[in-house]
Amino acid sequence: MGTRERASWTRARLGRAGPTLDLLTAHFDRHTYAPHAHDEFTVGVTVGGSEVIAYRGGHIHSYPGSIVVLEPGEMHTGGPAAADGYAYQALYADPALLTDGTLGVLPHFRDPVLHDLELATALRAAHTDISACPDPLEAESRLPWLLTALAHRHSTARASTDTVPGADHIARTVRDRLADELLEPPSLADLATDLGLSRYQLLRAFRTATGVPPYAWLAQHRVSRARRLLESGLRPAEVAGLVGFADQAHLTRWFRRVLGVTPAAYRNSVQDAAG
């Protein structure tokens, strides 16, 4: 059987006009990286096979479900640890993304290979969804939150203990802005600055008050708007852009999550009922 050397790169933007974050999905049978370092934190989840990485004067091994965290400036390699190769999903995070929600000291990960099934599963899901559709609000709602959780759970950084009063008011303000600007929603960083908060504080307050992150609330709001437009006779391809989804596939993904049917099936059923 031939080798399976596959890699795809996605650049997501964290909020409208915000900074970018790169995501890599790779499966290598033979590829071995030359020694190199990154300016960012490299956070990867191994999804198949096993990898061996030269790091900090020794060698580390990762297996399916392992989270690997390589710190900025640390020289490392990477290659297959066995004949079946290795597959992983990685993201490259600016150090500031791991200090939000902590006491501000750059986090240090004493153990670069972590075993945290819940966090690994969440990182994989976010990576997969955002690689498929790099929506700025979704990327900004999910990735910084998970990176802060990574720093809280596994690094030397101490979590900030300040509570965020007025979570309901904060959530109402954010919801109103997102609903008013659903075609081009503002970044969470800008909303947080307007409210005198950090982005992490805004996310925590919003989740406390609503039970969901901002992108999920906005997606459900867009689905509600889409229903009314579909009922008026518009086609799903037209509706997607009118309510702020990237394309019809993006509309369909969320419509099914919220209502259990596709937009086309919903439109047909309500049109039949009206007839």
Side-chain angles (χ1 to χ4, degrees), residues 18-31:
T20 59
L21 184 148
D22 289 333
L23 304 104
L24 173 68
T25 303
H27 182 174
F28 296 130
D29 276 354
R30 297 181 180 175
H31 178 72

Side-chain angles (χ1 to χ4, degrees), residues 32-68:
T32 298
Y33 287 98
H36 66 287
H38 300 282
D39 294 332
E40 309 91 353
F41 278 92
T42 303
V43 179
V45 180
T46 304
V47 300
S50 58
E51 183 181 10
V52 59
I53 302 168
Y55 187 69
R56 292 179 181 161
H59 289 86
I60 58 176
H61 291 77
S62 70
Y63 302 94
S66 300
I67 301 173
V68 178

Side-chain angles (χ1 to χ4, degrees), residues 9 46 59 81 89 109 115 120 130 132 151 158 169 171 195 222 230:
W9 199 274
T46 304
H59 289 86
Q89 295 170 289
F109 293 82
H115 305 285
I130 293 163
R158 293 171 56 202
H169 169 72
L195 290 164
R222 285 169 167 166
L230 292 165

